[in-house]
Amino acid sequence: MYLYMDYLGANPSKNPFSTYTSTSTASASTSAGGGGGGGSTDTSSSPNPPPPPAGAGGGGGGGAGGAASQPSRYESQKRRDWNTFTQYLRNHRPPLSLAACSGAHVVEFLRYLDQFGKTKVHSQACPYFGIPNPPSPCPCPLRQAWGSLDSLVGRLRAAYEEHGGRPETNPFGARAVRLFLREVRDYQTKARGVSYDKKRKKKITGSSSNNNDNNNNQCA
């Protein structure tokens, strides 16, 4: 053992540990020098950031304005309803123009929409006729609910005039359409056992409010 250590001391080139240590030290110094040089080079060569372009800060305002300009849910639905109706007129046999459309054609269009309805309307022969919540399913067809048809006619009536139609010739305001909607409402009220009558809030008149004030004063 001592002879081997003396041999390594006399022949440093034969010492594997000295080679590894010198190589690691040289690599570490080279990496440190390269890193420092790289850092100084990046600092000297990187230019100052350019100033922001004019009007860049107003981008948020433009986005808010774009969001505010989006159509409402009512306007979007009205546009879809109008596109559906005009497509129906084009597919009609024979094709119908908007100027030739009458109240009878509107009623025909409303009946056509029944095939896409989702409301169960019982027939008079059904045992669940007039029952709001039937205990089991029945073969009665699905129809468009009266409320959906009434809202649809209102949107199409407004869209007709927005597209250049005159109020006096508006087919969606024709008497035939009003009678059809009334018949649908009355029948569905009986068939489904529901009421479509809107509850009106009682208005407090001036005399009743004065009486209430006098009563409160007497109690005080």
Side-chain angles (χ1 to χ4, degrees):
M1 181 65 182
Y2 293 107
L3 293 176
Y4 179 73
M5 295 298 295
D6 294 340
Y7 171 76
L8 292 180
N11 299 278
S13 60
K14 301 296 183 178
N15 189 354
F17 300 102
S18 62
T19 304
Y20 173 77
T21 304
S22 61
T23 304
S24 302
T25 305
S27 300
S29 61
T30 303
S31 301
S40 60
T41 302
D42 294 342
T43 305
S44 60
S45 61
S46 60
N48 295 328
S69 62
Q70 292 181 355
S72 62
R73 182 178 179 181
Y74 170 80
E75 293 296 333
S76 300
Q77 185 64 46
K78 182 172 60 176
R79 185 183 299 111
R80 289 193 296 267
D81 294 338
W82 182 253
N83 292 336
T84 302
F85 179 70
T86 54
Q87 183 68 29
Y88 171 80
L89 295 181
R90 288 191 295 268
N91 296 336
H92 193 274
R93 293 293 178 270
L96 286 172
S97 64
L98 189 60
C101 182
S102 63
H105 296 120
V106 174
V107 172
E108 182 182 351
F109 170 69
L110 298 178
R111 294 184 184 277
Y112 159 79
L113 294 179
D114 268 340
Q115 60 182 315
F116 309 106
K118 299 180 180 180
T119 301
K120 178 77 68 173
V121 180
H122 304 286
S123 63
Q124 294 183 354
C126 179
Y128 300 138
F129 183 83
I131 299 178
N133 299 313
S136 60
C138 66
C140 293
L142 298 176
R143 303 296 187 195
Q144 291 285 346
W146 169 81
S148 300
L149 294 178
D150 187 60
S151 300
L152 172 65
V153 170
R155 290 190 297 267
L156 291 176
R157 185 173 183 177
Y160 176 85
E161 298 180 5
E162 290 176 0
H163 286 78
R166 296 182 299 175
E168 57 271 14
T169 60
N170 195 328
F172 299 97
R175 184 173 182 270
V177 178
R178 296 196 302 270
L179 292 177
F180 173 77
L181 290 177
R182 186 181 305 172
E183 292 175 359
V184 172
R185 182 191 63 183
D186 294 343
Y187 182 80
Q188 290 190 8
T189 299
K190 299 176 182 179
R192 301 178 59 202
V194 297
S195 177
Y196 291 106
D197 295 335
K198 296 181 180 180
K199 296 181 179 180
R200 298 180 180 179
K201 296 182 179 180
K202 296 181 179 180
K203 296 182 179 180
I204 301 177
T205 59
S207 59
S208 60
S209 60
N210 293 333
N211 294 333
N212 292 334
D213 293 338
N214 294 331
N215 294 332
N216 293 334
N217 294 332
Q218 290 177 1
C219 294

